[in-house]
Amino acid sequence: MSSLAPLRSISNFAGDAAADEQHVLHPPRFGPTGRSMSISNATVPPRISSLAGAGAPGSFMADPRARAMSRPTNLHMDRMVDDDDKDGLTAHEQLLAEVKEQLNKELKIKEGSENLLEALNSKKAKQTKEQRFRVESELNSANRKIAQLKFQIEELQQPQEGELSSRSRISALFRGNVLRSTSDTAVTAPVNGDDAADAESPTFTLSEILQSLEAEGMKPDYYVERANNLVELFKRHPTLKYDLAWSDFGFRMQTMLLSASRDVVAAGYRVTRYAITGRRSLQIIRQLNTDYLVILSLVKEGKASVEREQALKFVRAFLDVKDGVEELAPAVVRTIASVADHTEDRLRSICIETLGELLIRDPPLLVAAGGIGPLTDALGDGTYEASEALVAAILYHMDMPRGRKFIRAGHALDVIFAPFTDSLAVHLSEQKLKSHARVIGSVLRTWSGLMILSMYDFRAIRSFVASLQFPQPRTRDIILELLFDILCIKLPSWSSSFLAGRRLTTYGRVANLRSEPSTQAGSFSGDDSTDQQNLADHFLALTLAVLLEAGLQKMLVGLLKEDIEPLLRRKVMLLLGEVLKMASRLLPDAYNVPSQILPDVFAAAADFRTEGRSWASNTIYQLDIVNRTLQRSGPGAIAPPANVSSGPDVHDRSRQSEQSKLRIGIQVDEGQFRGWLIESQVLSSANYIKWRWDILQAIVEGPLLNPKRLDEAIRATKFLNRIFDFYRPFSFRFADIKNTKPNQRYVRVGSALINTLLQTQDGMKFMLENKVFKQLAECLAQLDPMSGQSSASPLFSPSRLVETLSSGYFAFIGTMSKDPKGLAMLQRFKITNMCYRIMTLTERGDLIKVLLENIDFTLDSPFRVMLSQALTGSSKDIRIFSTNLLRRYVTDVTRPSSSSATAQGAADHAQWAAHLLITQLYDPDVEVCQTAVRILEEACNKMECLELVVQCRPALDHLGEIGAPLLLRFLSTSLGYRYLDDLDYITQEMDDWFLGRNETYVTLVEASLSRALKDPDKARQVNVGLAEHGPQGTAPPHFYRELTRTAEGCRLLQEKGHFAEFVNTIREHGMEEDDGEMLLKVKGCLWAVGNVGSMELGASFIEESDVVRTIVEMAEKSMVISLRGTAFFVLGLISSSVHGSEILSEHGWDGPMTTMGELLGRFIPLDLRRLFSMQPWPYAADEAMARSTIFKMQTLIAGEDRINVRVLELVVDLGNTVLTKRAVSELIRIKKKASGLREPRFFRKVMTILEARPYRLPVRRFVIDLFDKSVMRRLVLDEEDAEQEAVQATADVPPTPRAN
């Protein structure tokens, strides 16, 4: 049959097909010489005898499917059989019945196990743990047996000829039960295109490929193609590699790796890499002497790029296996380090990345192999693109003493400053300098980096700041930009004008500055409405203090004395102004006052006897301009923080200012009004492009509010008629304008005009008589298929809604929804009804979003019903969007949003929004619930909203962890405490935090701080309240902090005794250095104590325990850097309370306060050297080198002749750059005389030397090339063992054991 053809073509059997059927196919074996051994020489029992020799029932069989596969070989499909065949068929049917009966039994066992397991799940887990484990074991066993029995039934029902021979041959390639690889995978493609049903199993395909790789003398493409097919087979059937017989498979891979073709070698590495299954397979691979092959491939020249790349990928595959790094040979790592140290090598970057991973996985191995040097060199020269990741790996080991000892103090991180501190490093490009600047910024924005770089009395930072003295404008500019980035200074919008030399004191520019939203310079948080401690600002205050201690201010003033470029001078001036502003806001008076005085500048300006006072007076003048401009541009500057200057009084003052402007605009006389109308160009031209829209907006928001001026504009001129003609939908003038940011002025003027006309009866009458809203209603009716109106190009089609200003009509509807008279007009034109129909258009989610976004829901109108419908009956996307719309209504409790709303009305619509949000907590989609929880949590920052939400008594049990932050907010009031106490929430949550949630909080707060420091721009966003646990860089809500807000919570905390337990843990284990679990527990206790101490009611706990002294000692003396940082930030939390700040002042810490005397919680030590008191640590290179092969020359030269000894000595001399040239010449001269260069044992000795010393890559290549080509083959295939045993037997000397 056709299925037998490929079987017979695989091997070179001697004999006919009949002989083939009498033998079991085995993979070919190779002798010591590498030649294949004929399979036909191995005689095996015939097929029938193997069946007859089966063991007794219950005994183990080598192939469990042999019984199922035994069948007569001459059975025909026409069922014309003789008596013997009939007897065999009867036995076949009996066997099939037995298997089916056993299958039914296993199915019943499976069903019973599943029922029992379901019953056990309803009981408590602790009580039924062992019983459940036994049931699950029985269920798994039944599933495995069912799969095997089904396979046997399938085989019995579908007999195939030739199957026995193929299954028997596979037994030589695989160990154990081959059912594992065949039952779970599909068969491969048919071997014969004429018969699609004739297909092979993956194991059969594997055996064919391995047989084909046995062929000798073929072209390299032949072997590469088979290897690629083998890789694809492993990809399709991942479980196939678990049953490989490495004795045969590994030998074929060895022959491929020893090939003279680079492509074949590369293919061998690739196949071996895909055959890796675990650490055991790595050990087997290493026993094949692949370490020498990998070293040989890596040291080759760049022409063998494919081979070297695959060899490196093969080594990196060790890192993907659990504990695979333990199987990496130091010699291989040493070779990778030499490649990484070769700057011109193509694989240098990936080798550096590999060394960086080894620094995390196994630092002793890396140090033993000399891998630290290439990493620091890569950081120093700036050629490695992923330097920030490399720095992160180094900082990871800097944290604890056990990892810190592998990094040399004052060297690993200091090298990143080399391009700036080296005055001769002018050859570096601007791109490399900026790359170094990014790395420096990433280091200084981490606690570990700031702590390490501040060692040796801030030596590294002092040298970096002092590099501003070098007269290199390009380098100075990059350093200044880096300082802006380190201090998180976001340049104001007017900085470009200032740096360009333009004046900033004109009226127009200052007016623009007042209207622009700004963020505090050097601040991470854009919203200070909460009382959460800003940890990022606390860290920023410490960074600024370190830079001032390193002489930053003096260096900037010194630059202003020099004759530098005007652009650079202005940038220095801007930076100096920002530094002074930040110092006044973030630092205590001990740091702030000396910096604000600028003694050198004022002394020089006051000295009229010298001619050089001009620079000082000019500096003072420019700083004054910058300061005043910063004050006008926002709340940053020297003004108090936003949470002090932003209150009801500020809003009242702004409203009074706006009202005064309106009164001035209304009181315009007739002559002025006519002049404005003429200047607007509306009366002289119908082309809207020629109109003066700025004057139009001033007219609409001013004089037209006067009924007399409005009547004059309506009756005496065409002013309003032309404007409304422009906005008419069917005129297609406004509706066809492109939707761009500058064109939004047309929408703003139209909304302001509608708002103005709604204020008077004449204005209302004018809008009723105009066609704008009538046509708008017709356009909305086109969206309703039931209205009978249609259009080929609707005004509100999806494309027009995005590309044109047609969406602006919904802004007009929103303006009318703010006023009761506008709502009545919308109902009169049936626009409200059309909006109802829009809410039912499920396919127009874009239209629904535009409508809801523009509508004002302050008034109790039909639009509230539409919003309720969108919140509950729309798609998930619309429900989330609608839920976010409720934020502005539930958070603005005290601010009325329209002129007709009162304070009571504002509270009413906040209550309405709160009820809707609570309804959203029961949405079936978790993401909608999570959005509602975030909004309510943000709203609860205000006491009015918190009380309002608590009064609604929402049930949050079904939300689990999602609703936990909101429940924590409820603890802030006595009403919420009693509500949660009734639910038995407080005691359960308290036990959870005490037993484990404190440790989870540590991970949460450290991740938040890391994200805020890594990307300050995202932390500045106003919308940071959408974050899962509050703004980035702030302390997330803590249970014990919220608990101590009320007297009831403090009594419960005292009764439970948790605070005393936290204090005892801190005192007993505060100086822990090595135990990671205990360090995590100590950090959790620190955060709990800090959150309790940040509350005024929790100050009594701090005073009674005197724990502040211990925490201060930890911040100043702990050997774990991260524990120091935790103690530092916890002291900042404690300093936010009055009693805590007093206690810290006694220990030499101080912090800033607002102008109202409020504490900001940013205390730092008055003597920074107390905090940055890290002492140098011993470098543990000697300890790590113990893992490396430290050789002794006496051992290596033992038993060698004089020439071989000289070769070993010269190889050692190659590691000395002074002796390299002479050693190379002598090695070339004695190469032919040295017999050891043709012996595998001598090769091992030389490799021992190469493993122990840091040789450059060309030197390693030279040394390996000295050996004869046959040495590697004999070494890998262990062919030297037989020769060595024969020689030693003659000399009566015991053989030397082979080193794997």
Side-chain angles (χ1 to χ4, degrees):
M1 295 180 65
S2 58
S3 61
L4 291 178
L7 295 177
R8 296 172 181 171
S9 62
I10 292 174
S11 59
N12 299 323
F13 288 165
D16 54 3
D20 293 339
E21 294 180 358
Q22 299 296 326
H23 295 79
V24 178
L25 297 180
H26 286 274
R29 300 290 298 176
F30 292 84
T33 60
R35 295 182 300 174
S36 62
M37 299 175 61
S38 176
I39 300 179
S40 60
N41 295 333
T43 60
V44 294
R47 184 181 310 175
I48 299 177
S49 63
S50 65
L51 295 175
S59 62
F60 178 80
M61 297 179 62
D63 192 342
R65 289 175 293 181
R67 182 187 302 273
M69 291 185 293
S70 62
R71 56 183 61 86
T73 59
N74 56 353
L75 184 64
H76 298 283
M77 298 303 296
D78 56 4
R79 306 188 63 83
M80 300 294 293
V81 294
D82 54 12
D83 295 339
D84 294 336
D85 293 330
K86 289 180 182 179
D87 295 338
L89 184 61
T90 302
H92 177 83
E93 290 177 349
Q94 291 178 357
L95 178 61
L96 181 61
E98 293 177 1
V99 175
K100 287 184 177 180
E101 183 180 358
Q102 189 176 358
L103 177 62
N104 292 332
K105 184 186 300 183
E106 295 297 335
L107 289 174
K108 292 180 181 179
I109 295 175
K110 176 184 177 182
E111 183 179 0
S113 300
E114 290 176 346
N115 294 336
L116 181 58
L117 190 62
E118 184 177 357
L120 292 176
N121 288 335
S122 62
K123 300 181 180 180
K124 293 185 179 181
K126 293 183 179 179
Q127 299 177 356
T128 62
K129 183 177 179 181
E130 296 181 358
Q131 192 174 1
R132 183 184 291 105
F133 176 78
R134 291 196 300 269
V135 175
E136 288 176 349
S137 300
E138 288 294 331
L139 181 60
N140 294 333
S141 176
N143 288 331
R144 287 194 299 268
K145 292 180 180 179
I146 289 171
Q148 295 178 3
L149 293 172
K150 287 183 177 179
F151 181 83
Q152 292 184 17
I153 292 174
E154 183 181 358
E155 292 290 333
L156 290 172
Q157 291 177 345
Q158 298 179 3
Q160 296 179 1
E161 293 186 4
E163 188 175 6
L164 180 60
S165 59
S166 63
R167 301 293 181 186
S168 302
R169 186 182 67 178
I170 292 168
S171 63
L173 293 175
F174 295 89
R175 302 191 309 269
N177 191 356
V178 296
L179 288 175
R180 177 180 182 182
S181 59
T182 57
S183 61
D184 298 335
T185 56
V187 296
T188 58
V191 295
N192 189 356
D194 298 332
D195 190 4
D198 188 10
E200 298 175 341
S201 68
T203 53
F204 179 77
T205 305
L206 176 62
S207 63
E208 275 195 327
I209 296 175
L210 293 179
Q211 286 282 358
S212 62
L213 289 175
E214 178 189 357
E216 298 180 358
M218 306 299 289
K219 293 183 179 180
D221 293 342
Y222 172 85
Y223 300 103
V224 173
E225 181 181 359
R226 268 67 182 173
N228 292 336
N229 293 337
L230 190 55
V231 171
E232 293 299 326
L233 184 65
F234 285 149
K235 288 182 179 180
R236 292 194 303 269
H237 309 285
T239 59
L240 197 60
K241 57 187 176 183
Y242 288 93
D243 295 318
L244 286 175
W246 280 94
S247 59
D248 300 290
F249 178 81
F251 183 76
R252 285 173 174 79
M253 294 303 103
Q254 283 179 316
T255 56
M256 290 188 67
L257 295 176
L258 289 170
S259 174
S261 173
R262 298 165 182 165
D263 295 337
V264 175
V265 176
Y269 282 123
R270 187 165 180 254
V271 173
T272 309
R273 173 161 54 91
Y274 275 93
I276 294 175
T277 57
R279 184 176 180 182
R280 176 55 185 165
S281 64
L282 296 180
Q283 295 172 350
I284 296 174
I285 290 173
R286 288 196 63 196
Q287 290 175 2
L288 301 175
N289 296 318
T290 54
D291 291 344
Y292 299 117
L293 294 170
V294 170
I295 295 173
L296 176 63
S297 298
L298 290 177
V299 300
K300 288 184 178 180
E301 297 180 351
K303 294 182 293 184
S305 59
V306 178
E307 177 184 344
R308 300 177 72 229
E309 180 180 345
Q310 290 298 327
L312 189 56
K313 286 184 177 180
F314 170 71
V315 175
R316 288 181 57 82
F318 282 54
L319 303 178
D320 297 333
V321 178
K322 183 180 180 181
D323 298 330
V325 68
E326 300 293 335
E327 300 301 326
L328 275 178
V332 175
V333 180
R334 176 76 75 174
T335 306
I336 295 176
S338 64
V339 177
D341 204 23
H342 195 57
T343 57
E344 299 178 357
D345 198 284
R346 176 174 168 269
L347 299 178
R348 181 172 185 258
S349 296
I350 190 65
C351 287
I352 293 175
E353 182 179 348
T354 304
L355 296 178
E357 294 182 24
L358 286 175
L359 180 60
I360 299 294
R361 303 282 189 88
D362 195 347
L365 173 62
L366 182 69
V367 175
I372 296 294
L375 294 182
T376 55
D377 292 343
L379 290 177
D381 58 27
T383 56
Y384 184 56
E385 297 180 356
S387 298
E388 296 181 27
L390 198 57
V391 165
I394 295 176
L395 291 176
Y396 170 78
H397 278 287
M398 288 288 192
D399 184 35
M400 299 175 64
R402 64 182 180 186
R404 196 182 307 148
K405 62 184 180 180
F406 299 111
I407 311 296
R408 192 182 299 276
H411 175 69
L413 291 180
D414 291 9
V415 297
I416 61 179
F417 295 103
F420 298 102
T421 57
D422 186 2
S423 60
L424 301 178
V426 297
H427 61 283
L428 291 179
S429 63
E430 184 176 357
Q431 182 178 2
K432 288 187 177 181
L433 289 175
K434 290 183 178 180
S435 176
H436 275 279
R438 286 194 301 270
V439 176
I440 294 173
S442 65
V443 173
L444 289 177
R445 281 197 295 266
T446 61
W447 175 262
S448 299
L450 183 63
M451 185 68 64
I452 296 299
L453 293 178
S454 299
M455 292 178 58
Y456 303 103
D457 194 19
F458 311 100
R459 182 184 66 184
I461 300 179
R462 287 182 189 275
S463 62
F464 170 66
V465 173
S467 61
L468 286 170
Q469 294 178 338
F470 297 144
Q472 299 174 6
R474 182 186 62 176
T475 304
R476 284 176 169 176
D477 184 70
I478 294 176
I479 294 176
L480 292 177
E481 292 289 343
L482 176 58
L483 291 172
F484 276 108
D485 182 59
I486 292 173
L487 296 176
C488 302
I489 299 174
K490 186 177 182 181
L491 294 177
S493 58
W494 49 265
S495 62
S496 57
S497 301
F498 175 76
L499 295 177
R502 293 190 291 269
R503 295 182 61 188
L504 301 177
T505 56
T506 59
Y507 172 79
R509 188 170 291 118
V510 173
N512 292 334
L513 292 178
R514 291 179 182 274
S515 62
E516 291 176 355
S518 62
T519 311
Q520 292 184 6
S523 177
F524 288 82
S525 178
D527 183 10
D528 291 334
S529 60
T530 70
D531 61 349
Q532 291 180 332
Q533 178 69 23
N534 197 323
L535 305 178
D537 278 356
H538 195 191
F539 177 81
L540 188 60
L542 182 64
T543 304
L544 179 60
V546 170
L547 289 174
L548 292 177
E549 183 72 21
L552 175 61
Q553 181 179 341
K554 295 180 180 179
M555 200 57 58
L556 294 178
V557 173
L559 285 178
L560 295 176
K561 294 181 181 180
E562 300 179 11
D563 185 15
I564 57 178
E565 298 178 356
L567 176 62
L568 190 61
R569 177 180 294 275
R570 286 188 288 269
K571 184 172 290 188
V572 172
M573 193 73 64
L574 182 60
L575 178 59
L576 183 58
E578 293 281 5
V579 167
L580 295 178
K581 177 194 65 176
M582 290 177 59
S584 65
R585 185 175 63 88
L586 297 176
L587 297 181
D589 292 340
Y591 294 92
N592 180 32
V593 173
S595 62
Q596 299 291 338
I597 292 177
L598 294 175
D600 297 338
V601 179
F602 281 97
D607 190 2
F608 293 91
R609 295 172 296 179
T610 60
E611 297 180 357
R613 61 177 297 272
S614 59
W615 72 269
S617 57
N618 184 41
T619 298
I620 295 174
Y621 173 72
Q622 293 290 341
L623 283 176
D624 181 60
I625 292 177
V626 170
N627 236 351
R628 286 188 284 108
T629 309
L630 287 173
Q631 284 181 326
R632 289 193 296 267
S633 62
I638 307 181
N643 58 351
V644 178
S645 61
S646 60
D649 295 338
V650 177
H651 292 296
D652 293 340
R653 288 195 298 270
S654 62
R655 283 197 296 270
Q656 292 174 3
S657 177
E658 293 176 0
Q659 292 175 1
S660 63
K661 290 181 181 180
L662 290 177
R663 285 196 297 268
I664 295 175
I666 292 174
Q667 296 173 0
V668 174
D669 58 18
E670 183 177 354
Q672 289 179 325
F673 179 63
R674 286 184 176 272
W676 285 9
L677 293 181
I678 295 173
E679 290 181 9
S680 67
Q681 302 295 324
V682 175
L683 300 178
S684 59
S685 174
N687 188 355
Y688 72 92
I689 298 179
K690 297 181 180 181
W691 296 352
R692 297 282 303 276
W693 288 92
D694 53 342
I695 298 178
L696 270 178
Q697 187 167 1
I699 294 174
V700 168
E701 295 177 348
L704 288 186
L705 291 173
N706 188 337
K708 186 176 181 181
R709 301 282 86 84
L710 178 61
D711 182 71
E712 181 180 352
I714 294 175
R715 301 181 185 277
T717 65
K718 298 181 180 180
F719 181 76
L720 288 180
N721 286 324
R722 283 194 172 178
I723 294 179
F724 268 75
D725 287 343
F726 165 71
Y727 286 109
R728 275 193 303 112
F730 290 160
S731 67
F732 293 104
R733 300 169 69 192
F734 170 77
D736 283 349
I737 299 177
K738 294 294 182 182
N739 187 9
T740 61
K741 187 175 181 180
N743 290 341
Q744 291 296 320
R745 57 179 179 174
Y746 305 126
V747 180
R748 290 193 296 268
V749 172
S751 300
L753 180 59
I754 293 174
N755 184 56
T756 298
L757 295 178
L758 287 174
Q759 308 305 317
T760 60
Q761 292 295 331
D762 292 340
M764 290 282 297
K765 182 179 179 182
F766 177 80
M767 287 193 293
L768 288 173
E769 295 175 352
N770 200 276
K771 299 180 180 179
V772 171
F773 293 100
K774 182 178 179 180
Q775 294 181 5
L776 177 58
E778 294 180 10
C779 293
L780 292 174
Q782 295 174 1
L783 300 172
D784 185 9
M786 306 299 294
S787 64
Q789 300 184 19
S790 61
S791 174
S793 178
L795 183 67
F796 300 111
S797 63
S799 59
R800 291 180 62 89
L801 205 62
V802 175
E803 298 173 0
T804 66
L805 290 182
S806 58
S807 59
Y809 288 108
F810 291 99
F812 300 160
I813 297 175
T815 302
M816 299 183 72
S817 66
K818 299 178 182 179
D819 195 281
K821 292 176 288 186
L823 290 172
M825 186 179 296
L826 292 176
Q827 292 178 355
R828 179 171 181 175
F829 287 108
K830 308 296 183 182
I831 294 178
T832 306
N833 296 340
M834 295 299 102
C835 292
Y836 271 117
R837 301 300 302 173
I838 290 175
M839 297 302 299
T840 61
L841 302 177
T842 57
E843 71 279 0
R844 290 301 307 275
D846 58 335
L847 196 62
I848 296 175
K849 288 183 179 180
V850 173
L851 174 62
L852 295 177
E853 186 179 14
N854 288 279
I855 295 298
D856 188 284
F857 299 97
T858 303
L859 300 179
D860 189 5
S861 65
F863 291 107
R864 286 192 174 184
V865 180
M866 300 180 196
L867 181 60
S868 300
Q869 178 184 353
L871 288 169
T872 56
S874 301
S875 63
K876 171 186 171 182
D877 189 27
I878 298 298
R879 297 202 307 272
I880 295 176
F881 180 82
S882 305
T883 305
N884 284 320
L885 289 178
L886 295 173
R887 173 179 280 103
R888 59 179 176 178
Y889 300 102
V890 74
T891 54
D892 296 342
V893 178
T894 59
R895 184 180 65 84
S897 56
S898 66
S899 58
S900 60
T902 60
Q904 182 61 36
D908 291 340
H909 75 249
Q911 187 175 6
W912 162 78
H915 280 293
L916 289 180
L917 285 171
I918 292 174
T919 304
Q920 293 303 97
L921 296 177
Y922 307 100
D923 192 276
D925 192 275
V926 177
E927 191 172 352
V928 178
C929 300
Q930 193 170 7
T931 304
V933 169
R934 291 173 182 172
I935 298 174
L936 287 173
E937 184 184 358
E938 180 183 349
C940 289
N941 290 327
K942 297 181 179 179
M943 189 57 62
E944 298 88 350
C945 289
L946 179 59
E947 294 177 353
L948 183 63
V949 175
V950 172
Q951 289 175 1
C952 297
R953 301 178 68 86
L956 303 176
D957 296 342
H958 63 287
L959 296 179
E961 292 296 327
I962 298 177
L966 185 57
L967 291 174
L968 285 181
R969 295 290 187 187
F970 291 176
L971 286 175
S972 303
T973 61
S974 298
L975 179 63
Y977 180 90
R978 289 192 294 271
Y979 166 61
L980 295 177
D981 191 30
D982 294 340
L983 298 177
D984 198 21
Y985 167 81
I986 298 178
T987 54
Q988 294 181 7
E989 192 72 7
M990 196 171 186
D991 293 339
D992 289 344
W993 278 81
F994 182 75
L995 296 176
R997 292 282 291 278
N998 275 329
E999 288 77 5
T1000 306
Y1001 183 86
V1002 174
T1003 306
L1004 182 65
V1005 68
E1006 290 181 355
S1008 174
L1009 181 60
S1010 176
R1011 286 193 295 265
L1013 296 175
K1014 185 178 180 180
D1015 196 348
D1017 292 335
K1018 290 185 178 180
R1020 287 195 185 98
Q1021 293 175 0
V1022 179
N1023 205 21
V1024 290
L1026 291 175
E1028 183 176 357
H1029 298 282
Q1032 300 292 344
T1034 60
H1038 198 284
F1039 174 80
Y1040 290 100
R1041 177 186 176 91
E1042 305 300 326
L1043 186 66
T1044 50
R1045 289 180 184 271
T1046 60
E1048 296 90 342
C1050 291
R1051 285 197 297 270
L1052 180 62
L1053 182 61
Q1054 185 71 33
E1055 294 173 0
K1056 288 283 187 177
H1058 288 185
F1059 190 85
E1061 291 290 338
F1062 296 149
V1063 173
N1064 292 335
T1065 301
I1066 293 173
R1067 286 175 175 168
E1068 293 178 6
H1069 306 282
M1071 292 301 173
E1072 179 65 42
E1073 299 181 2
D1074 191 57
D1075 190 349
E1077 294 184 0
M1078 182 54 64
L1079 286 174
L1080 183 62
K1081 185 176 182 179
V1082 171
K1083 290 179 182 179
C1085 295
L1086 283 173
W1087 284 113
V1089 170
N1091 279 279
V1092 171
S1094 64
M1095 295 288 99
E1096 294 298 336
L1097 294 179
S1100 59
F1101 294 95
I1102 299 295
E1103 291 180 346
E1104 293 174 0
S1105 61
D1106 194 24
V1107 70
V1108 175
R1109 184 186 306 275
T1110 306
I1111 300 177
V1112 170
E1113 184 179 359
M1114 292 172 61
E1116 296 176 354
K1117 298 180 181 179
S1118 176
M1119 295 301 294
V1120 180
I1121 296 179
S1122 62
L1123 193 58
R1124 281 196 181 200
T1126 302
F1128 171 76
F1129 290 116
V1130 166
L1131 291 175
L1133 286 175
I1134 296 175
S1135 66
S1136 59
S1137 65
V1138 176
H1139 295 287
S1141 62
E1142 293 176 354
I1143 297 174
L1144 279 174
S1145 299
E1146 297 175 359
H1147 291 85
W1149 289 55
D1150 197 5
M1153 293 187 298
T1154 65
T1155 54
M1156 303 299 294
E1158 297 180 3
L1159 295 168
L1160 299 177
R1162 296 165 189 161
F1163 270 48
I1164 61 175
L1166 296 178
D1167 184 6
L1168 286 179
R1169 291 171 179 80
R1170 293 172 52 190
L1171 185 63
F1172 298 99
S1173 58
M1174 290 290 298
Q1175 298 297 323
W1177 54 86
Y1179 185 47
D1182 296 336
E1183 177 185 348
M1185 287 291 289
R1187 280 194 54 173
S1188 179
T1189 306
I1190 303 300
F1191 68 96
K1192 298 180 179 179
M1193 286 300 297
Q1194 292 79 6
T1195 305
L1196 294 178
I1197 64 177
E1200 300 291 346
D1201 57 21
R1202 182 179 57 83
I1203 298 180
N1204 288 343
V1205 171
R1206 183 55 183 165
V1207 170
L1208 294 176
E1209 293 175 350
L1210 291 174
V1211 170
V1212 174
D1213 291 343
L1214 288 175
N1216 190 334
T1217 55
V1218 178
L1219 305 176
T1220 299
K1221 187 175 181 180
R1222 182 182 61 82
V1224 168
S1225 301
E1226 189 171 352
L1227 281 172
I1228 295 175
R1229 182 172 55 83
I1230 65 175
K1231 176 181 178 180
K1232 295 182 180 180
K1233 300 179 182 180
S1235 60
L1237 297 179
R1238 292 177 292 276
E1239 299 176 359
R1241 61 169 188 82
F1242 192 75
F1243 181 84
R1244 288 196 178 96
K1245 292 186 177 182
V1246 173
M1247 293 303 297
T1248 302
I1249 300 177
L1250 294 180
E1251 176 186 344
R1253 290 178 173 267
Y1255 292 94
R1256 294 183 296 111
L1257 184 62
V1259 174
R1260 292 178 179 272
R1261 184 185 307 127
F1262 170 76
V1263 172
I1264 294 178
D1265 289 344
L1266 290 175
F1267 286 86
D1268 189 76
K1269 301 298 182 183
S1270 62
V1271 171
M1272 184 60 69
R1273 182 177 185 87
R1274 293 161 55 196
L1275 179 66
V1276 172
L1277 297 179
D1278 294 333
E1279 294 179 0
E1280 83 279 11
D1281 287 349
E1283 301 174 3
Q1284 184 178 2
E1285 289 178 1
V1287 173
Q1288 292 179 345
T1290 303
D1292 197 17
V1293 177
T1296 303
R1298 178 173 59 89
N1300 291 328

